[in-house]
Amino acid sequence: ESSANALWALIILIIMLYMVMCCQFESLSDPLVIMITVPLSFPGISWILYMTGEEYSLSAMVGFICLGGVVVNNGIILIEFSNILRERGLEMQEALVAASKRKLRSILITSFTSILGMLPIVMGMGEGCELYRGCCAVILGGLLVSTPLTLFAVPVFYVIFNDIKEIVNMQWLKITMLFVKAE
């Protein structure tokens, strides 16, 4: 029953994250680009749980919910700054490269402080760490994989989604022009 409740909490988290980011970016596609890094962290989660001998438990589910917030934060930093640079007149690729270079330090600091904070618990140092080991293992493994992916996958998907958006807008423009000519 607890696992089912945690799964519902995860679903609600994803929906709420998407809605808040849609309001923040005033876009439907930018939040999708940012949230792509969450499922891309699954190999790191599976790997670390296997290496530590932990199972998918309620503690691991809580770790996954926490991981979602941290991973999304890194993507927000990158996309928000590249949007600012695009508003200042840079082309999309130039803005993404500049944003990646400029925000690399803040993304790495955010991720590595979380990684280093989870490491002693995952390694079993200290009393009572067994209770939080699954949670910390999920966060550790997910961040190890999602941090580099934030710097590489997010810009790639950002370009892809913007190309799709431009194609859809061009098609919409052609359709509206046909209706205007018909009148």
Side-chain angles (χ1 to χ4, degrees):
E1 187 176 322
S2 296
S3 296
N5 289 338
L7 184 61
W8 277 110
L10 180 64
I11 292 168
I12 291 170
L13 167 84
I14 292 169
I15 292 168
M16 295 301 292
L17 275 174
Y18 182 73
M19 288 174 27
V20 168
M21 286 192 296
C22 284
C23 292
Q24 179 183 356
F25 288 105
E26 297 176 357
S27 169
L28 296 175
S29 61
D30 287 350
L32 286 175
V33 170
I34 292 167
M35 292 182 74
I36 282 175
T37 56
V38 175
L40 292 177
S41 65
F42 287 166
I45 294 169
S46 299
W47 173 77
I48 199 78
L49 288 176
Y50 175 75
M51 294 300 289
T52 60
E54 292 292 316
E55 297 178 1
Y56 285 103
S57 62
L58 182 60
S59 177
M61 189 68 81
V62 170
F64 187 74
I65 292 170
C66 295
L67 175 68
V70 176
V71 170
V72 166
N73 185 39
N74 291 340
I76 289 172
I77 291 170
L78 188 62
I79 295 298
E80 187 173 11
F81 193 66
S82 56
N83 284 342
I84 290 170
L85 293 177
R86 286 184 70 191
E87 289 173 4
R88 292 181 183 168
L90 265 66
E91 294 294 322
M92 186 181 350
Q93 280 80 8
E94 293 172 339
L96 286 168
V97 170
S100 295
K101 286 180 182 177
R102 189 97 177 266
K103 296 299 179 181
L104 174 66
R105 185 183 328 164
S106 61
I107 290 172
L108 289 178
I109 287 172
T110 302
S111 296
F112 285 143
T113 54
S114 298
I115 289 170
L116 292 175
M118 301 298 157
L119 199 56
I121 297 172
V122 172
M123 293 174 61
M125 300 174 149
E127 293 182 28
C129 65
E130 297 85 16
L131 181 63
Y132 300 107
R133 192 169 183 208
C135 175
C136 293
V138 167
I139 295 170
L140 176 74
L143 282 176
L144 285 173
V145 172
S146 68
T147 301
L149 289 177
T150 298
L151 297 169
F152 295 109
V154 168
V156 169
F157 284 109
Y158 184 77
V159 170
I160 291 170
F161 274 66
N162 277 309
D163 289 346
I164 291 170
K165 194 179 349 178
E166 288 179 19
I167 290 169
V168 169
N169 286 339
M170 293 299 289
Q171 294 300 323
W172 183 254
L173 182 64
K174 287 179 184 178
I175 291 169
T176 55
M177 292 305 288
L178 286 174
F179 284 117
V180 169
K181 287 181 183 179
E183 293 178 358

